[in-house]
Amino acid sequence: MRLFLCLTALILMARDVGAQFLQYTPPGGPEEKPESRQTQLEREIKDARYHLGPVRIAPWASLHDLAYVHSILSTGQSLPNDLTATVGAGFRAYLHNGPKVIWTAQVLPEYVWWQRESGRRRLDGRYLLSYSGFFNHVTLEVRLGREQQQQIVTPEVPVPVSSRRDGGEVLTEVRISGAFSAFAAASFNRQNHLVEDVGVPSTQALRLLDADERIARAGVRWRPDPQWSVGLGAERSQVDFLHGTLDRSNAGTAPVTEIRFQGLHVGFQADAAARSLAASRGAEFVPYHKVTGNAALLLGSEAHLGAMIYASRNLVYSLSPLYAYLDDQRLGTALTLRLGRRTRGRLFVEGGRNDYTAFAAGTPLRREDVSSYGGSLTFGLRGGLTLGVQGVRSQFSSNLAGGDHSYTSVGATVNLVGFQ
């Protein structure tokens, strides 16, 4: 597995600079083939059925993450089995300011409900304003706002909590000539984890991951035809942590690369950064010099049967006072099956390892073998209504006594978009 991860990482650049580049991602791998921002917006505007003058409006309602959750922490503590659900209703609005400019507003409030743990009930949501200009030789996108959603933040504490991200990003791409273009992107985000009302002592440590993150990226991209895209560039990152006596603040510069290919029955996507991170502001961060990234090989057709093999390697900051971070390495496969025109099933299984890096010599070696599996079944009904059921199970087996922990969730989702 390690050899495969290293080989894929060498040819692995994220399309969206606004997201955290060092974070835990849930198991299952990428679910859909890449879609350009312009194509996505055109599809959304076409599906927006309501008009308020020149503004197109797409109502949205959702009951998701209706789930039975069971977590066992590395302390041996088993959290109370609980039932949770998130319900939301709002809208997306689109305004064409000329043929090439689109303004988008998203007002999508959500309420997170827990049956037993009332302190975890909270109003979340996404509130975003964006500008997209798709001109003949220049693309410019600007986005500002807040995204607050419930998620698992770190494999050390597999407990869903609400995390809030405030900030914005600017992306631009200029066509130089023919198939070549130059791109640049910058973002600033503040990440906060809202754990004050979660009655679990270990979740209070999640506030140690609150941070300000700045990322700037620039490079060139080559698109010889619609199927291929290859990019090379450089990225400067700075992460300043807001709490804790052991400061993990760091900064660094990395060469980045991306490859995208989408054929009729074969697709490939990969992005990577050769990171060289060092402590900043006199922090205690241990220098990091490794390649992070992800890759996926897609086979088959979305219309019938599709398969995916994926691999990734990411740095995730640790909550422990003994360890600075961990390398999250994974290798997995997923199978997608169309069961009729409106029904889609997906199964995945993946394995991996978390290797921890200690602050000081003599600290016990810490390593976790990780295995996850899960699946989903989605039914598309009339009127923009979709129903889904899903489940996931993750097991973390530690080399240290008492370090094993796990997470299990089984639930359902109901989405209603663009009421007819």
Side-chain angles (χ1 to χ4, degrees):
M1 173 183 173
R2 179 166 293 183
L3 175 60
F4 179 81
L5 290 168
C6 291
L7 289 174
T8 54
L10 289 175
I11 55 173
L12 299 179
M13 179 180 93
R15 292 191 308 170
D16 187 353
V17 72
Q20 285 184 309
F21 69 93
L22 303 175
Q23 64 175 351
Y24 175 74
T25 55
E31 290 203 12
E32 294 186 3
K33 297 178 182 179
E35 181 180 42
S36 72
R37 177 61 176 159
Q38 184 173 3
T39 301
Q40 177 187 348
L41 274 175
E42 290 173 350
R43 174 177 52 79
E44 291 177 356
I45 292 173
K46 181 180 177 181
D47 293 340
R49 301 180 178 275
Y50 294 91
H51 298 253
L52 184 61
V55 179
R56 284 180 173 257
I57 299 175
W60 166 85
S62 176
L63 171 63
H64 59 275
D65 296 335
L66 173 59
Y68 175 82
V69 178
H70 177 64
S71 298
I72 299 178
L73 306 182
S74 58
T75 58
Q77 177 187 12
S78 178
L79 301 184
N81 299 336
D82 208 346
L83 184 67
T84 181
T86 301
V87 60
F91 66 89
R92 294 181 176 91
Y94 309 89
L95 172 64
H96 262 294
N97 187 13
K100 300 178 184 291
V101 174
I102 302 171
W103 291 87
T104 306
Q106 300 184 54
V107 181
L108 308 172
E110 300 178 336
Y111 181 72
V112 178
W113 171 82
W114 289 83
Q115 182 183 34
R116 295 184 178 181
E117 300 172 271
S118 59
R120 301 177 69 177
R121 299 171 186 170
R122 184 181 298 275
L123 181 64
D124 286 349
R126 290 159 287 166
Y127 310 92
L128 300 168
L129 177 64
S130 63
Y131 166 95
S132 302
F134 304 104
F135 306 102
N136 291 338
H137 298 282
V138 178
T139 297
L140 176 64
E141 295 187 71
V142 182
R143 182 168 65 177
L144 298 169
R146 165 174 291 184
E147 296 178 86
Q148 182 173 311
Q149 294 179 289
Q150 185 170 258
Q151 60 186 310
I152 293 177
V153 177
T154 170
E156 291 181 280
V157 183
V159 177
V161 299
S162 291
S163 293
R164 182 174 65 220
R165 189 178 71 175
D166 297 299
E169 63 182 353
V170 180
L171 304 94
T172 185
E173 185 167 354
V174 180
R175 191 167 63 187
I176 302 172
S177 64
F180 288 93
S181 61
F183 65 86
S187 71
F188 169 81
N189 290 288
R190 168 162 287 189
Q191 186 84 18
N192 289 285
H193 302 95
L194 311 177
V195 296
E196 295 85 354
D197 299 325
V198 181
V200 182
S202 58
T203 62
Q204 304 305 312
L206 293 173
R207 298 191 70 245
L208 297 176
L209 301 181
D210 292 354
D212 289 336
E213 178 187 82
R214 301 173 181 86
I215 305 174
R217 173 176 289 185
V220 294
R221 185 172 286 122
W222 176 59
R223 291 191 182 94
D225 57 54
Q227 290 183 314
W228 277 99
S229 175
V230 179
L232 294 172
E235 179 184 274
R236 175 68 181 178
S237 65
Q238 181 174 338
V239 181
D240 296 325
F241 286 83
L242 305 177
H243 312 293
T245 55
L246 285 175
D247 190 353
R248 294 167 171 83
S249 298
N250 64 86
T253 302
V256 292
T257 183
E258 69 171 20
I259 299 176
R260 300 277 187 268
F261 171 75
Q262 186 56 63
L264 185 60
H265 298 293
V266 178
F268 180 75
Q269 57 190 68
D271 32 281
R275 303 206 177 275
S276 183
L277 303 173
S280 61
R281 306 189 313 173
E284 303 292 331
F285 184 80
V286 179
Y288 182 86
H289 304 286
K290 294 180 181 179
V291 174
T292 63
N294 57 81
L297 175 65
L298 303 100
L299 305 171
S301 168
E302 283 190 338
H304 301 287
L305 177 65
M308 177 194 304
I309 301 172
Y310 60 91
S312 66
R313 180 183 192 177
N314 289 297
L315 182 152
V316 179
Y317 299 107
S318 175
L319 299 175
S320 169
L322 300 178
Y323 304 93
Y325 48 77
L326 60 102
D327 269 323
D328 179 359
Q329 305 173 62
R330 303 189 210 173
L331 174 63
T333 184
L335 182 68
T336 302
L337 178 63
R338 289 283 182 180
L339 305 170
R341 202 176 80 176
R342 298 178 178 270
T343 304
R344 177 176 181 263
R346 189 173 191 273
L347 298 171
F348 75 88
V349 58
E350 70 178 44
R353 197 167 80 178
N354 295 333
D355 291 320
Y356 288 75
T357 296
F359 278 111
T363 303
L365 174 69
R366 183 179 176 185
R367 183 180 65 249
E368 294 169 350
D369 292 323
V370 186
S371 60
S372 299
Y373 58 88
S376 63
L377 189 62
T378 305
F379 307 90
L381 306 178
R382 295 185 180 276
L385 178 66
T386 60
L387 307 177
V389 292
Q390 59 276 333
V392 62
R393 165 74 174 176
S394 293
Q395 179 72 42
F396 303 85
S397 301
S398 177
N399 68 312
L400 300 180
D404 294 355
H405 54 289
S406 64
Y407 175 79
T408 305
S409 176
V410 179
T413 297
V414 180
N415 282 318
L416 184 58
V417 181
F419 311 147
Q420 292 185 347

